[in-house]
Structures are given as structure tokens and as C-alpha cells.
Amino acid sequence: MTTTVFIPRDTTALSMGADDVVQALKFQSKAITDDITIVRNGSRGLFYLEPLVEVMTPKGRVAYGPVQVEDVESLLAQGLLDGNSDHPLYLGFTEEIPFLAKQQRLTFIRAGIIDPTNIDEYIDHSGFSGLTNAFAMLDQDNDNGRQAIVDEIKTSGLRGRGGAAFPAGIKWQTVLDAKAKAPEQQKYIVCNADEGDSGTFSDRLLMEADPFCLIEGMIIAGLAVGASQGYIYLRSEYPQAKNILEQAITIAYQQHYLGKDIQQSGQTFDLEVRIGAGAYICGEETSLLESLEGKRGLVRAKPPLPAIEGLFGQPTIVNNVISLASVPIIMEKGAQYYQDFGVGRSRGTLPFQLAGNIKQGGLVELAFGTSLADLVNDFGAGSYSGKPIKAIQVGGPLGAYLPEHQWPTELDYEAFAKMEAVLGHGGIVVFDDSVDMTAQARFAMEFCVAESCGKCTPCRIGSVRGVEVIDKMTKTHQERSEKSTEQLAELNTLLVDLCDTMTDGSLCAMGGMTPIPVRSILNHFSDDFVATTDKFNVKETN
Amino acid sequence: MTIDEIKKKTQQIVANKKSLPGALLPILHDIQHEFGHIPEQALSIIGQSLNQTEAEIFGVISFYAHFRMQQTGRHVIEICRGEACQSMGSKSLEQAAQSQLDIKYNQISKDNNFTLEPVYCLGNCACAPSVKVAETVYGRMDSEKFARLTDKLSTYKINVGEIV
């Protein structure tokens, strides 16, 4: 009987040596049997266990990890291929690993289970059921059908998962109602796959583990608003995602899920991957559109909204990867099913990403409403270094650093907004007590200097001045002159003032949100400005 | 490669892609993939065929961190500077890498083997710190692993002819 072994081919598994493990297993298993099939699945998101090797047994998939090349020999000797439990890397049934078992997987339901480019497996795992339901809605009459799909998305309560959390259904309605202009009369679906925030990797994982899910979501969006062309704008830092997406798109064309007359429905949808070129700002929707048009990624002033005048001046849906990938399950199980997850106005699930100095890093998909403390302690098992955790940055480089007393806050958009923080794309970066908070505040400004598109002054110049003021504050502290307390107070006011100007005067979220991490450090870690320089002074006097 | 060869190859790439809507980025990617950088001679060819000035093309190239007009070392090593990597000690990794290769960011090592570049997030944040060489990302990087990696990258297989 053939033994099936699963070893992921997502970026993280590969970065931890998955390819070498595959080679070693192929070579060394020959002594035992010729009859093994190695499936390169996507990752389940249990990154702390990568490379995770799974073996199919009659009772289910048994996992071992993290497996290195040197473990392969002993694993095989101790019955890896039979799912034997004698090895120290044995983890039991994959589905029962607590990190995975406690999750509520909707969008990532297939991640790590199937071979990402095997369309038959996708269909076996209820892939394209949402699309079939969408076709059924369109069958009676196109106009009412489109409205019915948009209504379904509205009812589900889905909000953009890219960070701004704008209701997806309302965006779709605007595009549906907008009239495309002659001569092209083309509407567009643009997938924002420029996931540039540090600490976030759910878009990448979805595209590498279940690309057909994104493709299906985009086709449904196309049907809903009458757009027959889609683009996935993917960042150049994700070459593996590009390879897998392009393979999946080719297969979808061959199997008539893309192109003309999809599955004999009379509907058309074309899809193409476009690669960005290393500009963080191109994750901002208007800047992304400029880039797709072949220009510098300068932010556009809104209005006009991209939903009305977007790509090439036509009505365009710009949605994030996870927003679009959430569409198939909503269309498959119904809006009410999705809506039943979550709290308040944050409905459904969010894939949280545990990253940085954390023992068990990875992807945790849960309904809104759980707390940061639970995520970091229960799922993450504390810091990687074993030292106490000092700060947690949520929502990427433009998100706040949260001190311990804020960790019990419910993870929902409104609760975070109330404490001047953002949930953003659900990225969670943990720092232990060795972190220098002054340096992190400076880095927030420095990052804005490097990545500002330059169109508006508060962002372009404000960030440069921000770095200067923080440097001056550090220097003043170190000098410790009699006047330093007074000077520091002045500089502090100056920095707060600068933050206000950037928040109120910037054209887009880049300049508008850069003050968020800086302010959070000033508010909650102000002692650190003193502490770091004190340490410095002690060293000098000694 | 001679200037004529560069021009010919560029013309081919431009001809293949220019009918795409918003063709400039795909064209620049293909050219950089072909030559390792965007040669100066390419600018006028692209400009003419897309009906844009050379200055406009240069403006686009210089806006994006990924595009470059200078040659690089044989391997481009990108070190991630994102917050997740910082929390796992990427700053000391950056220093170790720079002193080991004896270069700063965006410079070429003396043996022409390496160019070092900063990158803001490789999406491997759960196994930080990370570096990337060509299409491969390496996780949980430290200065010792980095030294082994560069050692491996600067070792070449030499095909010795069969003994007659």
C-alpha cells in the first residue's frame, strides 16, 4: 500500500529546510519501501513546528515536527511511515494539536490539508461550491442576481481585512451601481496582495496554501459587480506565492474556471498576477492603482473613490487577499453562518498572526472577541527567549505598541480604536524586555522616511523631522545638563505637535498613522526614554 | 554582453509586453530579470515604445526599491529589517553581516560575490530573523548560520573534464 507523506512547500517551511527533508526522506526511505508518495501541501500555519511532516494513517494524519534532515534516519527507524509514536518529534494526530484544534477555521479551512495546485482536491474539499451558488443566483436574471450576491456580502458583515475595515458589501454596492465609462466599459476587481506590514503573513499563507480560494473569491466578486477582468497585485518579496498563484491560474484556465463562458455559465472572468517592486506605499489602494497603471506609486486624493474611478478611471473593487478569500465560504454556507461568528460590529473570523519573539509563532484563525493575552499566552506560549514580554505591537509598523495592562482588551476593531490602537491586518509582534522602546519609536519615523511616497508634506517632511526630534531627545538625555529637563519637555511637546500635524494633514494612512506607534510609546513607555539613557550613562562613568 | 545585444534583447522584451494595460512594470521586471539590472540603454527603447520620456521611465525606476540600474554582486542578500525580525535580533545580524562581508548596504563585496540590501518584511515573521537570497528565504538566521550560508554561496562546483 502506498504511504502518503505531507511536507509543506510554503515559504516558512522552505526557510526552515523543508526541501532538504524531502530529499533525505526520498533517499533514505528507499531502504524500507519504494511505495511512498510525498505531497507538497501548504502550511497549516503551525510555523513553530515547521518543517511539519505528516503521515496518512487509516485513523487520520499523524504529525512530526519540527523535522530536520538529521532526524529523518531515526524517524524512519522508529516507524514514521506507520505513524508510530515512539519518536520524540511525534505530535499525535495533526487535528488534535491544541494550537490547531482550538482555532475556528473558515477562510483557512483547507490550508495545509490539500496540495495547493491540485484543483480536484480543492473541489473535493467543497471548493467552488460558493461559485456554484453565485451562478444559481445569476441564473434567473443577471441584474437581480448581482444584487443578491452583493446583499449576501452585506449581510455577512464582512469588513475589509486589509486594515481599514471598511464594509466590503458597501464597496461592492458602489461598484455595482457605478457605470463604467466608454470606450472600454470595463469594471475591475483588484486584489491587494501587497502585504508589507511586518508581522503579517496571512495573505502569503493563503496564496501559498489555497490559491484557488482567492481565485474563486475574485470570480464571485466579478460576477457580483459585472467585472470581467481581475488583477492580483502581489509584492515582489513573495516569489513562492507568485509561483504557486501562477500555476493555479493556469490550471483554472485549463479547467474553464477562468476565461470565457466559465463552466458553461455564459460569464467571463480573466485574471492576471502583477508584481510590485518593493514599495510599501503600494499597499495603499490608490497608490497600488497608480502602480498597476505603470506609474510611480503616488497616492491619489480621494474622492473620487476607486469604487467609482479606479483602475484606468473605471469602477474598481480593491479588496485585500483575506477579504476576497472569505467570500467563497460566505457564498457556500450563507451570510448568516459567517455573521454568527464575532462580536459587535466585527463579524466573522480574523486570521491572527503571532510573530516576533514568540515561542509558538504561526497563524491563528479565530472569531473576533478573543483577547491578546489569550492569544499570546495560550497559543503563543510566551516569548521565544523565555524573558518577560514587554510590549506587543499589533497591526503592523503603523500600529500601536501595547503595554501589559492593555493585553486583556477584546480583539475587535472598535475596542482597539478606543485605546488609540489598530487591529489592522491582525499581525501581532511580541517583544521581550530587551527591547529599546526609544529605538522602536525612532524606527517608526525612519520607516516612514524610507517608504513615504513623497506626495504630501506632513508625511514626507514630518517623518524626517520626527527622526531628528527623537535623536535630539536621546542626546539631551545623555548630556544630562541642568537645562535638560526643561529642554526635554519642550522636545516632547514638539514631537506631540508633529504627530498631530502628520495625523491631521497627511493625504493617506502612511503619514496619518505613523504617529500611532510613536504616541503609544510616549504614552505607555515614557520611562524607557530615561531608562535607556541611564544605562548608557552608567556604562560611561564606569 | 555588447550594447547591441542589450538593445536587441530589450526590444524583444518590450515588443512582448507593450500591449498589456499598464505595461511598464512588467517590462522593467523582465529586463531586470534578464540583465540583473536595468541597463541605461534600455530607457530610450522603453520610452519610445510606450510614448513616454526617458525621464518618466527613470522616475518610475527610481521610485521602486526593487529596481536598480547598477550591476550587483553574484548573489544579492536581502536582510529583513521589519519589527518582527528586530525583536529577534536582526540588528546584530545586520552588523555581523556587514562586518563579515566588509560592506555596507547597497555595496558589492570585494570578491564581487555579494551585494547586501535591506528589505522591509519577507513575510516569514514567525521564524524571524530572515534573509533572502534570490528566491529562497532563510529563517531563524544568526551570525554563525549567516557565515555558513555565505560560505556555501561562494563555493562553486567546477566541472572537470573527463580524463581521456
Side-chain angles (χ1 to χ4, degrees):
Chain A
M1 209 185 79
T2 308
T3 312
T4 309
V5 180
F6 300 85
I7 303 175
R9 57 162 145 154
D10 97 296
T11 300
T12 300
L14 295 179
S15 84
M16 299 306 284
D19 275 350
D20 294 338
V21 174
V22 169
Q23 289 304 322
L25 192 70
K26 269 188 188 161
F27 183 71
Q28 295 185 31
S29 63
K30 277 189 185 140
I32 304 171
T33 172
D34 273 336
D35 215 8
I36 79 166
T37 310
I38 297 180
V39 175
R40 302 305 301 271
N41 55 337
S43 174
R44 302 238 191 188
L46 282 66
F47 287 146
Y48 65 103
L49 294 173
E50 294 293 4
L52 184 79
V53 175
E54 288 176 272
V55 180
M56 183 64 100
T57 70
K59 286 185 181 165
R61 278 156 74 162
V62 169
Y64 300 83
V67 177
Q68 294 298 307
V69 172
E70 49 273 23
D71 302 319
V72 172
E73 194 182 344
S74 64
L75 277 165
L76 284 169
Q78 288 172 48
L80 168 87
L81 299 178
D82 301 316
N84 213 322
S85 64
D86 292 340
H87 199 274
L89 295 181
Y90 173 81
L91 299 163
F93 291 109
T94 320
E95 309 284 347
E96 291 172 9
I97 298 173
F99 191 94
L100 191 62
K102 287 190 284 181
Q103 298 193 28
Q104 293 163 299
R105 290 219 162 169
L106 300 183
T107 310
F108 282 81
I109 195 157
R110 282 172 292 260
I113 295 176
I114 60 170
D115 171 351
T117 52
N118 186 332
I119 199 165
D120 295 328
E121 276 196 314
Y122 180 71
I123 294 166
D124 285 346
H125 286 79
S126 66
F128 293 122
S129 320
L131 182 63
T132 310
N133 292 344
F135 281 140
M137 288 176 174
L138 290 177
D139 266 350
Q140 280 91 38
D141 130 43
N142 260 347
D143 286 344
N144 284 334
R146 293 192 203 289
Q147 186 61 54
I149 300 174
V150 173
D151 286 344
E152 202 69 13
I153 299 303
K154 275 190 202 160
T155 314
S156 75
L158 178 69
R159 291 164 76 178
R161 297 290 188 247
F166 187 79
I170 293 178
K171 196 183 263 186
W172 287 28
Q173 185 72 57
T174 313
V175 178
L176 174 61
D177 295 342
K179 215 168 154 23
K181 289 181 220 93
E184 285 171 76
Q185 300 198 324
Q186 172 74 62
K187 292 179 183 178
Y188 295 100
I189 308 296
V190 171
C191 170
N192 181 347
D194 194 335
E195 181 181 52
D197 285 355
S198 171
T200 63
F201 44 75
S202 62
D203 291 0
R204 176 185 67 69
L205 183 59
L206 192 279
M207 291 185 283
E208 290 178 356
D210 196 11
F212 291 117
C213 179
L214 174 59
I215 295 171
E216 185 182 348
M218 291 187 73
I219 302 170
I220 297 172
L223 300 179
V225 299
S228 60
Q229 175 69 51
Y231 291 101
I232 299 173
Y233 185 88
L234 176 70
R235 60 202 303 258
S236 58
E237 289 86 347
Y238 285 179
Q240 181 66 358
K242 171 179 182 267
N243 295 339
I244 292 178
L245 269 177
E246 283 182 341
Q247 282 174 36
I249 288 175
T250 306
I251 294 165
Y253 268 107
Q254 286 163 356
Q255 302 290 320
H256 307 291
Y257 281 98
L258 285 174
K260 286 199 174 65
D261 195 17
I262 298 169
Q263 303 295 308
Q264 288 103 42
S265 64
Q267 305 286 343
T268 299
F269 193 73
D270 286 299
L271 184 56
E272 195 185 320
V273 178
R274 284 291 175 89
I275 305 299
Y280 176 79
I281 193 63
C282 290
E284 198 281 337
E285 61 176 355
T286 60
S287 161
L288 185 154
L289 293 172
E290 290 283 305
S291 185
L292 259 181
E293 289 176 7
K295 303 176 200 154
R296 299 159 68 102
L298 296 185
V299 172
R300 293 179 191 169
K302 289 191 272 191
L305 294 171
I308 294 162
E309 276 183 42
L311 188 62
F312 303 112
Q314 303 286 5
T316 304
I317 288 184
V318 185
N319 271 162
N320 169 265
V321 174
I322 302 298
S323 318
L324 288 163
S326 301
V327 168
I329 190 134
I330 294 171
M331 294 304 291
E332 181 198 335
K333 303 223 168 167
Q336 195 56 48
Y337 175 83
Y338 194 79
Q339 150 91 260
D340 285 344
F341 293 85
V343 287
R345 285 176 52 223
S346 306
R347 311 309 309 180
T349 59
L350 187 67
F352 299 100
Q353 300 127 81
L354 296 177
N357 200 324
I358 192 150
K359 199 167 167 200
Q360 298 188 163
L363 180 121
V364 182
E365 184 176 352
L366 284 174
F368 290 92
T370 187
S371 78
L372 199 54
D374 286 349
L375 268 177
V376 170
N377 297 326
D378 286 4
F379 287 89
S383 73
Y384 184 83
S385 61
K387 292 180 184 171
I389 296 171
K390 176 160 182 174
I392 304 177
Q393 190 182 27
V394 183
L398 309 180
Y401 287 87
L402 308 180
E404 193 167 2
H405 73 266
Q406 290 184 332
W407 301 345
T409 313
E410 268 189 355
L411 290 156
D412 102 270
Y413 294 119
E414 276 70 37
F416 263 60
K418 216 183 275 173
M419 55 184 201
E420 290 174 38
V422 288
L423 203 45
H425 191 33
I428 294 168
V429 179
V430 175
F431 292 82
D432 71 9
D433 63 2
S434 66
V435 62
D436 176 351
M437 297 308 287
T438 318
Q440 296 311 120
R442 186 187 190 279
F443 181 77
M445 288 290 185
E446 197 190 336
F447 183 70
C448 189
V449 174
E451 297 293 346
S452 170
C453 85
K455 186 160 180 170
C456 72
T457 320
C459 176
R460 184 184 68 243
I461 309 287
S463 54
V464 176
R465 296 293 171 257
V467 173
E468 288 170 3
V469 174
I470 293 171
D471 280 347
K472 217 177 262 178
M473 286 171 92
T474 315
K475 201 165 161 251
T476 311
H477 245 309
Q478 285 159 7
E479 283 166 359
R480 285 206 151 194
S481 65
E482 280 170 22
K483 275 190 179 170
S484 64
T485 322
E486 204 176 306
Q487 276 176 343
L488 263 177
E490 270 173 32
L491 287 168
N492 199 66
T493 315
L494 194 62
L495 187 58
V496 172
D497 207 33
L498 182 68
C499 285
D500 288 344
T501 309
M502 288 177 76
T503 307
D504 299 337
S506 297
L507 202 51
C508 81
M510 176 90 218
M513 286 170 69
T514 292
I516 292 179
V518 180
R519 273 211 190 93
S520 69
I521 293 171
L522 281 176
N523 290 342
H524 303 297
F525 301 94
S526 56
D527 290 354
D528 245 48
F529 273 85
V530 185
T532 20
T533 44
D534 272 353
K535 265 185 253 163
F536 186 84
N537 282 333
V538 171
K539 235 188 256 169
E540 267 199 337
T541 45
N542 286 349
Chain B
M1 206 177 277
T2 66
I3 290 177
D4 280 346
E5 283 170 330
I6 290 174
K7 283 185 177 168
K8 206 176 146 204
K9 197 81 211 169
T10 307
Q11 275 158 351
Q12 267 173 15
I13 291 170
V14 174
N16 283 341
K17 291 275 159 90
K18 72 171 187 185
S19 62
L20 290 175
L24 184 52
L25 260 65
I27 288 174
L28 292 175
H29 273 297
D30 282 5
I31 291 174
Q32 182 155 306
H33 186 74
E34 180 70 32
F35 304 111
H37 66 290
I38 297 164
E40 213 183 312
Q41 296 83 358
L43 266 58
S44 64
I45 298 169
I46 305 168
Q48 273 164 20
S49 119
L50 297 183
N51 204 13
Q52 286 182 292
T53 66
E54 280 183 52
E56 281 171 322
I57 307 294
F58 178 77
V60 172
I61 294 171
S62 59
F63 181 83
Y64 295 99
H66 180 88
F67 294 132
R68 56 175 91 88
M69 291 188 67
Q70 291 79 37
Q71 286 186 336
T72 62
R74 277 183 205 98
H75 303 284
V76 178
I77 303 182
E78 294 171 279
I79 302 185
C80 185
R81 300 193 69 199
E83 281 88 347
C85 286
Q86 288 179 29
S87 76
M88 288 294 285
S90 65
K91 278 193 181 149
S92 61
L93 175 67
E94 283 178 279
Q95 283 166 1
Q98 294 187 354
S99 71
Q100 192 203 313
L101 300 176
D102 196 21
I103 46 173
K104 293 206 162 57
Y105 276 130
N106 303 311
Q107 294 181 342
I108 305 175
S109 64
K110 280 196 192 103
D111 58 6
N112 207 26
N113 263 336
F114 301 105
T115 295
L116 210 55
E117 284 183 358
V119 63
Y120 293 92
C121 199
L122 297 168
N124 197 34
C125 322
C127 292
S130 305
V131 305
K132 176 164 164 270
V133 184
E135 295 206 341
T136 311
V137 176
Y138 299 86
R140 293 271 184 250
M141 188 52 69
D142 56 36
S143 49
E144 278 169 35
K145 263 175 95 173
F146 188 84
R148 285 203 296 275
L149 176 67
T150 50
D151 214 37
K152 204 172 127 194
L153 289 171
S154 39
T155 313
Y156 288 91
K157 282 183 194 163
I158 300 167
N159 289 322
V160 182
E162 278 180 56
I163 300 162
V164 184

